[in-house]
């Protein structure tokens, strides 16, 4: 097996996170909502500790943190959960971008079927959603704007800070899918004026199957987001169902580690990107980056090798590195990336593009070697 360079699809669990998870499974197996015994109390205190760890990383109040099964669920609650409020107020217009994750795009599509009006903004060719294009669509009946922080395929950092600033003056709710930035762009995330935020623990070296929804309070008042599933009153009814205590504890620990280490981690991933640039430069292969690298996260690169089919490249380079061409959530059935398509790239360019994404613990020597091997494969496939 080659070196793992598909961190944007899922990052390996940190050993310290795994240790917490195992400990909770072995020793704290109570239900966090059992009120009648110490085992329940113990589980509850673990969940509340995790809530504080998430809140601390994001710079929010612990009462604003709700645990979910991950960003897909969080995005669904963020959007579908506003239906009652929309019906009560007549605000039934949603704005989003065409490069959002399917968990936003498909949810918005479902809302459209229920009578909502939706404007979908295309990015410019550099993969960046223009603020004025979004603001230009805001109307009196706009309920929600949903724009991601970092795109999962290109790594392009979207102008959500400026957008949040502007939207906060306009009585429009702002949802940010921060799945690819949570634990990485920590200072930036803390500054964004959003109302709702989604993330998944597995992108910041926590386990798969847990994540968070942040609902910011406005003058101590909760947002009008309601549950979309019915059942128990867990997570104040926002996300009914038994709280997976070990997963939640692990999510909290991953956030705590990210808060302690994000500055060092950033330096490390930056060095790896530099190594990628250098290796590409000296290789003599024909390539270009997709998306403006001056606004790209340092742990992702989307690269086009003209004349080299990405499917062939990924298969032929499998023994050297695990990379991808698009989002894992849509990669079962091959269709050209809708993100690159929205950026105006031709089908040929899209079919010649791959995504490489990495984390701080990837050793630089192995990283360089695997990129060199990948580029040798590129040369052998180039037509
Ligand atoms: N949003 C973004 C930007 C993502 O990258 C992902 C995962 N690829 C999701 C949402 C969905 O996360 P999950 O599959 O963990 O629910």
């Amino acid at each position: 097996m080659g070196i793992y360079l598909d961190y944007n699809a899922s990052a390996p669990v940190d050993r310290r996170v795994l240790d917490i998870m195992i400990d909770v499974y072995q020793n704290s197996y109570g239900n966090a909502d059992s009120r009648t015994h110490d085992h329940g109390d113990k589980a509850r205190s673990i969940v509340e500790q995790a809530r504080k760890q998430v809140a601390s990383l994001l710079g929010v109040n612990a009462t604003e943190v709700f645990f979910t099964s991950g960003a897909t669920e969080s995005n669904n609650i963020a959007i579908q959960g506003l239906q009652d409020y929309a019906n009560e107020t007549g605000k039934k217009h949603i704005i989003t971008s065409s490069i959002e994750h399917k968990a936003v795009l498909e949810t918005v599509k479902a809302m459209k079927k229920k009578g909502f009006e939706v404007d979908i903004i295309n990015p410019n060719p550099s993969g960046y959603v223009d603020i004025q294009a979004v603001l230009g669509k805001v109307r009196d009946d706009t309920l929600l704007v949903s724009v991601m922080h970092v795109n999962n395929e290109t790594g392009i950092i979207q102008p959500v800070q400026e957008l949040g600033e502007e939207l906060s003056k306009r009585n429009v709710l702002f949802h940010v899918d921060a799945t690819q930035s949570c634990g990485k762009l920590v200072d930036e995330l803390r500054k964004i004026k959003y109302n709702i935020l989604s993330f998944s623990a597995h992108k910041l070296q926590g386990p798969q199957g847990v994540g968070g929804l942040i609902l910011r309070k406005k003058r101590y008042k909760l947002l009008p987001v309601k549950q979309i599933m019915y059942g128990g009153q867990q997570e104040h009814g926002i996300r009914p169902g038994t709280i997976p205590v070990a997963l939640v504890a692990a999510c909290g620990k991953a956030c705590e580690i990210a808060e302690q280490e994000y500055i060092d981690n950033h330096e490390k991933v930056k060095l790896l990107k530099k190594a990628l640039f250098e290796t590409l430069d000296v290789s003599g292969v024909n390539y270009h980056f997709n998306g403006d690298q001056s606004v790209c996260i340092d742990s992702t690169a989307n690269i086009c090798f003209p004349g080299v089919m990405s499917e062939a490249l990924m298969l032929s380079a499998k023994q050297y590195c695990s990379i991808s061409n698009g989002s894992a959530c849509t990669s079962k059935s091959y269709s050209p990336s809708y993100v690159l398509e929205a950026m105006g790239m031709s089908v040929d360019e899209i079919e010649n593009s791959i995504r490489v994404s990495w984390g701080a613990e990837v050793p630089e020597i192995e990283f360089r070697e695997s990129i060199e091997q990948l580029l040798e494969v590129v040369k052998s496939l180039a037509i």
Side-chain angles (χ1 to χ4, degrees):
M1 240 195 305
I3 179 175
Y4 186 69
L5 298 178
D6 201 11
Y7 276 61
N8 286 15
S10 204
V13 176
D14 187 294
R15 180 72 231 183
R16 294 162 291 180
V17 171
L18 191 60
D19 288 343
I20 295 276
M21 207 159 39
I22 293 168
D23 180 58
V24 174
Y25 277 129
Q26 284 180 329
N27 302 310
S28 309
Y29 35 78
N31 185 318
D33 286 276
S34 292
R35 308 241 162 254
T36 53
H37 47 65
D38 289 347
H39 289 83
D41 291 346
K42 192 175 172 193
R44 171 55 56 187
S45 70
I46 289 169
V47 169
E48 295 317 316
Q49 165 72 8
R51 208 183 301 282
K52 284 186 198 145
Q53 288 164 320
V54 174
S56 173
L57 173 69
L58 293 170
V60 301
N61 194 292
T63 59
E64 297 171 317
V65 178
F66 298 84
F67 288 107
T68 66
S69 65
T72 297
E73 189 175 42
S74 297
N75 287 344
N76 271 270
I77 302 172
I79 300 167
Q80 291 191 60
L82 283 167
Q83 254 178 104
D84 285 356
Y85 175 72
N87 288 329
E88 281 158 24
T89 56
K91 289 180 132 206
K92 296 182 81 169
H93 175 235
I94 297 173
I95 305 169
T96 190
S97 86
S98 53
I99 58 167
E100 297 303 306
H101 189 268
K102 289 283 180 188
V104 166
L105 287 174
E106 291 295 316
T107 308
V108 162
K109 208 164 124 191
M111 299 291 276
K112 211 171 163 183
K113 282 196 190 138
K114 291 180 186 169
F116 282 72
E117 271 189 72
V118 180
D119 272 310
I120 299 183
I121 311 295
N122 274 329
N124 57 31
S126 57
Y128 195 73
V129 176
D130 180 59
I131 309 165
Q132 293 312 324
V134 175
L135 295 177
K137 292 287 179 192
V138 172
R139 323 190 304 213
D140 287 345
D141 66 341
T142 303
L143 169 73
L144 179 76
V145 171
S146 180
V147 175
M148 68 199 332
H149 192 187
V150 172
N151 182 269
N152 42 308
E153 289 192 34
T154 60
I156 301 300
I157 304 166
Q158 303 301 324
V160 284
Q161 197 182 325
E162 299 88 327
L163 254 181
E165 208 57 63
E166 289 301 321
L167 292 171
S168 68
K169 298 176 197 158
R170 290 170 165 83
N171 199 24
V172 175
L173 293 171
F174 185 33
H175 168 240
V176 176
D177 178 349
T179 308
Q180 296 291 347
S181 63
C182 185
K184 295 173 190 155
L185 303 182
V186 175
D187 299 322
E188 293 84 342
L189 256 184
R190 285 175 178 164
K191 284 189 216 141
I192 302 169
K193 284 191 179 165
Y194 60 84
N195 304 99
I196 313 171
L197 179 139
S198 309
F199 76 93
S200 267
H202 68 110
K203 311 286 184 181
L204 59 143
Q205 306 209 256
Q208 297 167 348
V210 65
L213 174 71
I214 310 299
L215 300 176
R216 301 301 316 263
K217 287 180 179 165
K218 232 180 173 178
R219 288 180 215 93
Y220 303 105
K221 253 183 72 187
L222 265 180
L223 288 173
V225 175
K226 299 255 175 73
Q227 81 266 35
I228 57 170
M229 288 196 299
Y230 294 90
Q233 274 309 301
Q234 292 92 346
E235 296 301 274
H236 293 274
I238 290 285
R239 204 280 180 171
T242 301
I243 298 173
V245 182
L247 291 180
V248 161
C251 177
K253 185 69 184 175
C255 288
E256 184 190 81
I257 294 172
E259 185 170 8
Q260 288 161 355
E261 300 181 356
Y262 74 94
I263 297 174
D264 277 354
N265 288 345
H266 184 222
E267 288 310 313
K268 289 178 188 158
V269 294
K270 217 160 112 180
L271 279 177
L272 294 173
K273 193 164 222 184
K274 194 165 159 263
L276 174 73
F277 285 171
E278 287 168 1
T279 317
L280 279 163
D281 271 352
V282 297
S283 69
V285 300
N286 183 15
Y287 74 94
H288 63 258
F289 288 107
N290 298 321
D292 178 354
Q293 293 307 292
S294 69
V295 286
C296 187
I297 196 163
D298 285 313
S299 49
T300 306
N302 199 305
I303 317 166
C304 177
F305 297 107
V308 178
M309 292 298 284
S310 62
E311 291 284 312
L313 176 58
M314 288 185 304
L315 281 177
S316 310
K318 222 172 175 174
Q319 73 264 40
Y320 307 125
C321 53
S322 296
I323 52 172
S324 73
N325 62 348
S327 153
C329 317
T330 42
S331 65
K332 258 197 174 149
S333 56
Y334 178 74
S335 55
S337 152
Y338 66 89
V339 171
L340 300 183
E341 205 167 40
M343 285 161 61
M345 288 173 52
S346 69
V347 175
D348 281 351
E349 279 181 304
I350 298 171
E351 285 180 344
N352 293 166
S353 294
I354 54 150
R355 174 184 75 181
V356 186
S357 54
W358 55 91
E361 78 279 11
V362 172
E364 188 180 334
I365 295 178
E366 276 179 50
F367 181 78
R368 270 185 195 272
E369 272 171 13
S370 68
I371 300 295
E372 279 162 10
Q373 285 157 334
L374 175 77
L375 295 176
E376 285 307 313
V377 180
V378 170
K379 283 179 197 167
S380 71
L381 294 174
I383 44 169

